[in-house]
Amino acid sequence: MIIIRTDLKHLPFHYYYAGVYQGEVQFKEERIMHAIVEPRQRTQMNENILSEGLSSNLPFKQIHEHLDLFANAKWEGERVVLPNGFHYERYKPYQAVIKGKKQEGIVWALRNETALDVITVEGILVAFICPHRHGMEILVQPGYEDLTPLVAYRNPQLSQPEYGVNDMGTYMVPMKDGTRLATDVYLPEGKTGIEAFPTILVRTCYDRSNKKGFLMHWVNKGYAVVNQDVRGRADSEGELVPFYYERDDGKETIDWIIAQAWSNGDVGIWGASYLGYVAIAAATSGHPNLKAVVDEVNVGSPFTDTVRRGGAVCSWPLLSWTLAQSVGNRTDFSIFAGESVDVETVVDARPIREIPQQVIGKRSGPWDLWSQHPEYDDFWRNCTLTERGDQIQAPVFVISGWYDGDGPGVSETWRMLTEHDVPHRKIWLGPWEHNPNRARDFRGTRFSHDAVVYDYDIKVMSWFDRFLKGMENGIEQEPRATYYVVGNNEWRTSEDWTPVEATITPLYLGGEGHANSSFGDGLLHYQPIERAKTDTFVYNPKYPVAYSGEREPENMAQHELRQDILVYTSEKLEEDMIVAGELSAEIYAASTATDTDWVVTLTDVDEDGNSLRLSDYIVRAKYRKGLDQAALLTPNQVERYDIYMQNIAHTFRKGHRLRFTITSSNKFVVFPNSNTGENPYDEQEAMIAKQTVYHSPKYPSHIRVPVINKR
């Protein structure tokens, strides 16, 4: 007979990570005890104090601190608020027969915080759930596993945890130029008759030892895992030159893997953020043994995303990463997070070329190198994913979200995969940040409970199972695109991204020539404009726009009061409108400068005038004809600008309005253009520019939005 314990202290919990049993945990009065499972033989060890170095996102200390609150709460009705402020809402049931009795577990979803869900049975807490990108973690009273999301891991079409982990140690793997990369190898152990395995490769700039524990569940499920520091980082030799070597180093590492006796010749690669760029770069090598790619929130090519976004020079998003990498051969995460430096001081420092010396007291190798290549040349071509997109053969699973700051990189990757019709490509887009699948509320925007999914790592595992093990799990037969519509707060699928159900709808800029600020007369029209009008503003690089450098639903209303922002607003919607897919704009404009920037933004304006930012992008004028065709402007000459914007899936509610804005700066994303056309890394006297935007039959400036009609 299973007895539910209401006093949670001293009660044993079984701890699971990505469906793999990790031992027994007890919350005692003064400490947390953990009886671990020995990795190689999978034997239960004696209990000891919970290790500080445990690879886990589960907030053990927080649970311990508030254990009595969880135990004494009245888990009934639709909402439960704990004395510590945790706000839970009833989510969904799990049912199972336990010891001959039908039982029901109720999931309670945590709101307004990083998800730490709980499960109760008859009002008594029996489990904690911590879903995240690497693998869902669950603490459960023994015997109640069937009333938790753990049941999804038992799918016979999913690799099961049948192995221990054989840590083979570190190999210094030589690249063709002699540079050796620190490479850890982990092999499955414990099942006789199998000597060669498919491999999952991870190549990181953040020290391979930092999160190696998050990778072990793949080994438990029958994969060799190869975990490598990219060159110049942690224990690898060489110099860090971001982006430049990743394609070739990835290819040569795969060559090394398939030459090992433990490899069956099939290799997959996983990566997120910069590691995602690394994964896609390896795919562009066209290596025939690379059979599967999982790419999460990937950094894009330098001139698309992080270094020279749209041709401009990125400011804080780039500096935070580059300075953090430049302090030493291991990342300084306090700089990366903007905790040990003042962000605005860093962004305002000049000259741009010397910012590292001013902030961290030393030169930055990457920063110096980039400043030596102010134009798109062979150096940058070697870093650009799309230059070799036609070489990709492996199926690629792309995962990102509407609040991912590397959205331009994700869109670039997806356009590339689509252009070259890469077989079995798949995309999953949620209401997620750069750290996806974390919370159900973001900056005041509320999502449904299932915005945090319980099968994130299961989808990743299924992708590798299908294309590395040949398991017929059907994932490649699912719709190509799965996406979450904010506002409707529902998941949808389509046979492609942009959804095939969407109609690309142009919204034309119009007005009487005074679109400056939200008090101006700028309008968005569904039909082309018949009258020729222009709007002008003055761009002074010394007084740049300064909205958030993050991708978030920021209220732009205060910024839109500025005279150097042109604002075009639609009429109030008579019914809800869903916009889902890739966005773009076609702008006709002139400047008195020889070079300048154009920043475009789409927002949702509610009845109270709040203007929530949904999508934006920037383009440097000199690259209007292409990165390979840089050309300064002829002052006052009208030019056409085709601008890709960040993807969205959003419901504009009845009574709301669409708003499109144009300006020439945002200092927390890119350094303000001096308007001179000179090397942006050098000190220079900024010029004030008069900017003119045209909207007429001859110059039909417009934004293109993919609209999905009602079902």
Side-chain angles (χ1 to χ4, degrees):
M1 179 179 178
I2 296 176
I3 300 174
I4 307 175
R5 292 279 301 277
T6 57
D7 178 9
L8 301 182
K9 285 183 179 176
H10 304 283
L11 170 70
F13 282 89
H14 283 177
Y15 172 40
Y16 293 85
Y17 180 92
V20 181
Y21 178 63
Q22 302 293 337
E24 189 173 276
V25 172
Q26 290 190 45
F27 297 96
K28 298 191 175 181
E29 291 293 340
E30 300 297 330
R31 56 191 179 272
I32 306 170
M33 305 302 292
H34 182 197
I36 68 169
V37 173
E38 189 276 324
R40 187 164 183 173
Q41 300 300 326
R42 299 291 299 162
T43 55
Q44 182 88 48
M45 306 295 286
N46 293 329
E47 71 174 17
N48 209 327
I49 297 174
L50 183 77
S51 171
E52 294 283 348
L54 180 69
S55 291
S56 173
N57 281 11
L58 191 67
F60 288 97
K61 290 183 178 179
Q62 187 180 54
I63 293 173
H64 189 212
E65 179 183 355
H66 300 299
L67 200 62
D68 288 341
L69 303 184
F70 286 110
N72 296 326
K74 293 184 178 180
W75 298 99
E76 57 188 27
E78 296 299 316
R79 294 176 179 82
V80 175
V81 179
L82 303 187
N84 64 355
F86 279 10
H87 177 180
Y88 282 93
E89 296 183 5
R90 182 184 291 263
Y91 179 15
K92 65 179 181 180
Y94 281 89
Q95 296 177 337
V97 175
I98 299 178
K99 296 293 185 179
K101 179 181 178 182
K102 186 175 182 180
Q103 298 264 26
E104 181 175 77
I106 301 299
V107 179
W108 296 84
L110 180 60
R111 306 296 316 201
N112 304 311
E113 306 279 352
T114 296
L116 176 61
D117 300 344
V118 301
I119 295 179
T120 60
V121 175
E122 298 177 353
I124 299 172
L125 190 149
V126 300
F128 296 92
I129 309 171
C130 179
H132 55 89
R133 69 137 62 101
H134 296 291
M136 180 167 55
E137 298 178 66
I138 293 180
L139 284 175
V140 57
Q141 290 190 33
Y144 283 88
E145 284 86 349
D146 286 354
L147 294 179
T148 77
L150 283 169
V151 294
Y153 291 99
R154 298 175 189 161
N155 186 335
Q157 294 180 320
L158 195 68
S159 285
Q160 296 301 303
E162 302 173 317
Y163 299 88
V165 176
N166 184 1
D167 184 346
M168 301 293 289
T170 300
Y171 299 78
M172 296 304 292
V173 177
M175 301 294 100
K176 64 183 177 183
D177 64 354
T179 302
R180 300 183 306 161
L181 306 186
T183 306
D184 292 345
V185 176
Y186 304 91
L187 299 182
E189 172 142 330
K191 195 171 182 180
T192 59
I194 301 177
E195 297 181 353
F197 302 92
T199 301
I200 299 176
L201 170 63
V202 179
R203 305 187 62 247
T204 180
C205 61
Y206 299 118
D207 188 343
R208 71 195 188 286
S209 64
N210 272 349
K211 294 187 177 181
K212 64 182 182 182
F214 288 135
L215 312 178
M216 294 304 104
H217 67 98
W218 290 332
V219 187
N220 296 133
K221 296 172 184 178
Y223 290 90
V225 167
V226 173
N227 188 22
Q228 183 182 77
D229 291 325
V230 301
R231 67 170 62 206
R233 305 310 296 148
D235 298 317
S236 284
E237 297 174 349
E239 178 185 359
L240 173 65
V241 182
F243 310 104
Y244 189 81
Y245 292 104
E246 306 303 2
R247 180 183 66 258
D248 291 342
D249 285 355
K251 178 178 182 296
E252 291 162 35
T253 300
I254 295 172
D255 284 339
W256 181 83
I257 290 171
I258 63 176
Q260 306 308 304
W262 44 259
S263 169
N264 73 356
D266 293 331
V267 180
I269 190 168
W270 174 92
S273 194
Y274 184 80
L275 285 66
Y277 172 90
V278 168
I280 296 299
T284 65
S285 75
H287 200 297
N289 293 80
L290 182 60
K291 301 295 179 65
V293 178
V294 175
D295 160 40
E296 302 183 23
V297 297
N298 74 278
V299 169
S301 301
F303 266 70
T304 298
D305 191 5
T306 51
V307 182
R308 298 292 303 277
R309 181 174 292 196
V313 179
C314 288
S315 55
W316 179 244
L318 173 65
L319 277 166
S320 68
W321 186 86
T322 307
L323 297 177
Q325 302 294 336
S326 300
V327 172
N329 64 349
R330 284 175 166 80
T331 306
D332 186 326
F333 286 99
S334 68
I335 294 177
F336 199 5
E339 296 170 349
S340 60
V341 297
D342 181 77
V343 175
E344 189 154 16
T345 299
V346 174
V347 169
D348 289 341
R350 294 296 183 276
I352 294 173
R353 186 189 299 270
E354 298 177 5
I355 289 177
Q357 295 97 299
Q358 298 179 45
V359 178
I360 62 173
K362 61 183 293 187
R363 305 190 73 88
S364 163
W367 199 258
D368 285 346
L369 182 60
W370 295 334
S371 68
Q372 295 165 16
H373 295 272
E375 300 298 340
Y376 189 78
D377 56 15
D378 286 342
F379 171 81
W380 293 116
R381 288 186 190 90
N382 193 65
C383 302
T384 299
L385 298 172
T386 54
E387 294 280 354
R388 294 167 183 81
D390 60 342
Q391 299 299 305
I392 299 177
Q393 303 176 42
V396 180
F397 187 8
V398 177
I399 306 174
S400 183
W402 313 132
Y403 312 109
D404 173 16
D406 284 310
V410 172
S411 289
E412 174 199 30
T413 297
W414 187 253
R415 289 195 300 267
M416 175 179 65
L417 299 176
T418 301
E419 177 185 355
H420 299 293
D421 196 22
V422 174
H424 302 307
R425 63 189 180 275
K426 185 178 182 66
I427 192 166
W428 192 11
L429 298 166
W432 299 328
E433 306 159 68
H434 194 61
N435 182 8
N437 201 42
R438 188 188 66 83
R440 300 177 173 95
D441 303 86
F442 184 63
R443 299 288 193 272
T445 300
R446 177 185 170 91
F447 313 121
S448 54
H449 297 329
D450 64 355
V452 171
V453 300
Y454 289 164
D455 62 350
Y456 191 102
D457 59 294
I458 290 175
K459 290 288 189 184
V460 171
M461 188 80 274
S462 296
W463 193 256
F464 287 133
D465 282 348
R466 177 66 187 91
F467 295 109
L468 294 182
K469 289 186 177 181
M471 297 176 67
E472 298 289 344
N473 55 29
I475 192 169
E476 83 283 6
Q477 298 171 11
E478 297 173 358
R480 176 165 287 165
T482 300
Y483 62 98
Y484 187 93
V485 182
V486 176
N488 276 25
N489 286 353
E490 63 180 5
W491 289 97
R492 291 191 177 191
T493 60
S494 180
E495 293 306 316
D496 208 348
W497 182 260
T498 296
V500 297
E501 299 82 9
T503 301
I504 305 302
T505 304
L507 298 175
Y508 295 91
L509 278 56
E512 297 301 318
H514 305 286
N516 309 76
S517 86
S518 54
F519 289 108
D521 58 20
L523 298 173
L524 283 180
H525 300 273
Y526 290 95
Q527 300 299 325
I529 303 302
E530 297 181 358
R531 293 184 300 162
K533 291 287 184 179
T534 62
D535 292 299
T536 63
F537 67 94
V538 174
Y539 162 48
N540 186 341
K542 293 183 179 180
Y543 302 101
V545 177
Y547 63 82
S548 164
E550 303 295 331
R551 189 176 182 194
E552 58 188 12
E554 179 182 4
N555 190 347
M556 300 293 288
Q558 290 298 314
H559 299 290
E560 291 164 356
L561 298 176
R562 294 176 59 127
Q563 291 295 305
D564 58 357
I565 298 182
L566 300 181
V567 179
Y568 302 90
T569 308
S570 74
E571 297 294 333
K572 290 184 178 180
L573 295 175
E574 296 181 356
E575 60 180 1
D576 289 355
M577 173 191 289
I578 295 177
V579 174
E582 301 290 332
L583 282 66
S584 62
E586 182 179 309
I587 303 300
Y588 295 86
S591 176
T592 57
T594 55
D595 192 23
T596 197
D597 291 342
W598 302 102
V599 179
V600 297
T601 303
L602 177 69
T603 68
D604 179 350
V605 183
D606 67 18
E607 297 91 341
D608 296 323
N610 298 303
S611 181
L612 298 186
R613 175 161 52 91
L614 304 175
S615 175
D616 58 10
Y617 200 60
I618 187 169
V619 65
R620 181 143 293 186
K622 69 189 301 182
Y623 299 111
R624 63 197 177 279
K625 297 179 181 180
L627 297 177
D628 280 317
Q629 303 178 60
L632 294 177
L633 297 170
T634 299
N636 298 312
Q637 179 173 300
V638 182
E639 299 283 357
R640 170 177 165 170
Y641 299 90
D642 293 301
I643 306 173
Y644 283 111
M645 301 176 65
Q646 301 192 67
N647 54 24
I648 66 171
H650 179 83
T651 303
F652 291 85
R653 290 297 186 195
K654 177 182 178 181
H656 285 210
R657 295 171 291 167
L658 286 76
R659 176 170 289 169
F660 182 71
T661 65
I662 303 175
T663 188
S664 288
S665 62
N666 178 19
K667 76 172 186 178
F668 289 117
V669 175
V670 298
F671 292 103
N673 194 328
S674 66
N675 296 326
T676 64
E678 298 175 7
N679 186 336
Y681 290 94
D682 292 336
E683 187 75 67
Q684 51 200 262
E685 186 64 31
M687 296 177 55
I688 296 175
K690 180 181 179 181
Q691 318 285 54
T692 303
V693 173
Y694 291 74
H695 39 88
S696 68
K698 184 178 180 180
Y699 301 121
S701 295
H702 60 278
I703 178 176
R704 291 180 286 266
V705 295
V707 177
I708 296 180
N709 296 325
K710 287 186 175 181
R711 290 177 172 175

